[in-house]
Amino acid sequence: MTSQYRRGLVFNEKDIFSRGSAGRTGVDFADTGIPDADLNEFAPEDFRRNGLEGFPELSEPEVIRHYTRLSQWNYGVDANLYPLGSCTMKHNPRVNEAVARLKGFTGLHPLQPDTAAQGTLKIIHDLGRWLCEVVGLDEATLQPAAGAHGEFTGLLAIRGALTKRGNPRSKVLLPDSAHGTNPASATYCGYQAVTIKSGADGKIDLQELDKLMDENVAALMVTNPNTLGIFESNIVEAAKIVHSRGGFLYADGANLNALIGKARFGDMGVDVCHINLHKTFSTPHGGGGPGAGPVCVVKELEPFLPAPMVVESNGAYRLDYDRPHSVGRVHGFHGNVGVLLRAAAYILTVGASGLKEAAEAAVLNANYIKARLKDYYNVPVPGLSLHECVFNDKKQNEYGVTTLDIAKGLIDRGYHPPTIYFPLIVRGALMIEPTETESLETLDEFCEAMIDIAKTAETDPESLKRAPVNAFVSRLDEAQAARNPDLRCELCR
């Protein structure tokens, strides 16, 4: 490994309970002139804590330095390229943050009457209309709090419509290149998730779809572009097959950032889709929340969207609860409004032409990485990619190096690893999504790190088996950490 990847100053930070000393404090309360009082006279006994054993006593510099050092352990998109595939991590412009923190929004109480919340309701209404225009569908709900929550909501709407027809049906079809949340959402909605094997080109096998699509199938859920980074060019034919047997076509719009301004789901025959705002419209990912996964639908599914809906009449906005066929609320109040504000600010900032340019740059960046690394890493599915590219460890396996070793090697070289071992249909997959916000220099630096790993696999494979050695901790037992997480602090035990 070349020295350019070595860390300089590395902090070995103890937990805060191991610091400080009795009687040390970082706070001085001003003398108010009010006599001291016995707390026991005011607080009910049940509310009183008998002791606070083990709580650290620290000075202000100790507290600030502790949390500053911890913040420097954290790897985020503000620190460097975050090349996760299928879970886009890109820059969130700070103007979005400024908009979301305007007092007119942050000071709004969620129970204020509609007449006192016209600005926020207008933005929710307008953002819904903009999203419908982007995907070519008729109506939207902005309540869902994340992409998977949007999947659940969209499938509930499908279930409602089919129930109204007389039969909710029992199965949902999913290509094996779909996002992993799709089968979970289908199951959670009471459907049996049935997998369709992709063809050799990585796309939906229409013959297989034709064979499986029957009158028990409620929907086909398609991730487009799929998790191989490939556009499902058979989507119109797939829609015809699904519709001819009374089903709905659901599009997982998590990868919409590759299509925006270029192609619309509605024009492909899609009936319902969700959109991950953080992936396409640059809002914080949130590490699971708060986020937003709006759902857009065709007219037939509109009555089943969550209540209330924001409606406009003569320039005034109100929440409409009179929706007898609605699936009900899926989120409290107006959804995660702060995230919606950031998405609206992003759309207004870049405009229609900017959204299109973002898609073009995202696709260009992914194909640039694919072109630079194809001589060093095996490309399991040939051809151009859209927003993300997929390699695997076939070449490195000849030297005993696995995808996990490559990921750990990237940590030593200063990068967060990409998504590994997904999609499941690629053995030893490495899924990389650079996004549109990365410069050519950043992409080149990342590619050089990947090339260095490929060369190291040939000349010194054992060093990759030991990686990471420049991180704060070495290789962890990930299975143990996932199955038996221990996230409690000492005081909570």
Side-chain angles (χ1 to χ4, degrees), residues 157-401:
I158 288 175
R159 191 177 187 89
L162 290 172
T163 301
K164 188 181 179 187
R165 288 185 192 172
N167 179 8
R169 303 195 174 190
S170 60
K171 295 185 288 187
V172 169
L173 303 182
L174 305 115
D176 55 10
S177 59
H179 276 123
T181 50
N182 290 180
S185 297
T187 304
Y188 206 59
C189 281
Y191 287 114
Q192 177 190 356
V194 179
T195 302
I196 304 177
K197 191 174 180 181
S198 297
D201 58 359
K203 302 175 186 175
I204 298 171
D205 186 330
L206 291 179
Q207 289 187 339
E208 185 72 4
L209 172 62
D210 189 50
K211 188 168 64 178
L212 292 173
M213 184 67 214
D214 57 33
E215 294 183 354
N216 290 318
V217 175
L220 168 67
M221 288 185 84
V222 178
T223 301
N224 198 13
N226 65 28
T227 54
L228 291 168
I230 296 174
F231 180 70
E232 293 282 3
S233 56
N234 297 327
I235 189 71
V236 174
E237 288 75 15
K240 290 177 181 175
I241 293 172
V242 172
H243 290 156
S244 69
R245 285 149 218 190
F248 289 95
L249 180 57
Y250 186 109
D252 181 323
N255 297 335
L256 179 64
N257 59 321
L259 302 180
I260 190 166
K262 297 289 184 179
R264 305 196 309 168
F265 288 137
D267 299 334
M268 303 173 198
V270 167
D271 301 295
V272 53
C273 74
H274 75 268
I275 303 169
N276 298 54
L277 294 188
H278 76 275
K279 299 192 73 172
T280 303
F281 299 105
S282 192
T283 68
H285 184 275
V295 172
C296 299
V297 299
V298 292
K299 278 287 183 190
E300 182 181 354
L301 295 175
E302 185 270 337
F304 306 95
L305 290 179
M309 297 280 287
V310 178
V311 297
E312 183 268 340
S313 178
N314 298 321
Y317 300 86
R318 65 180 177 84
L319 294 171
D320 179 17
Y321 292 86
D322 185 17
R323 300 179 55 78
H325 300 295
S326 169
V327 299
R329 269 193 184 277
V330 296
H331 194 287
F333 303 111
H334 310 324
N336 287 330
V337 174
V339 179
L340 305 179
L341 291 169
R342 290 174 174 89
Y346 178 76
I347 292 172
L348 289 171
T349 302
V350 302
S353 61
L355 293 175
K356 187 176 178 181
E357 287 178 23
E360 292 171 347
V363 172
L364 177 63
N365 284 359
N367 281 287
Y368 181 76
I369 287 181
K370 191 171 189 176
R372 280 216 60 185
L373 298 183
K374 65 181 174 58
D375 293 335
Y376 300 92
Y377 293 89
N378 183 60
V379 178
V381 180
L384 292 173
S385 298
L386 288 188
H387 60 301
E388 60 196 5
C389 52
V390 176
F391 302 95
N392 68 5
D393 58 3
K394 186 177 179 181
K395 290 183 178 180
Q396 288 69 42
N397 267 177
E398 296 177 13
Y399 308 99
V401 172

Side-chain angles (χ1 to χ4, degrees), residues 409-445:
L410 266 175
I411 293 174
D412 273 342
R413 288 156 179 81
Y415 290 95
H416 191 287
T419 299
I420 59 174
Y421 299 110
F422 188 82
L424 300 176
I425 55 177
V426 174
R427 184 181 176 86
L430 278 157
M431 180 199 278
I432 300 168
E433 180 171 5
T435 81
E436 78 277 11
T437 59
E438 301 302 336
S439 68
L440 178 61
E441 291 80 5
T442 301
L443 298 182
D444 279 335
E445 290 167 2

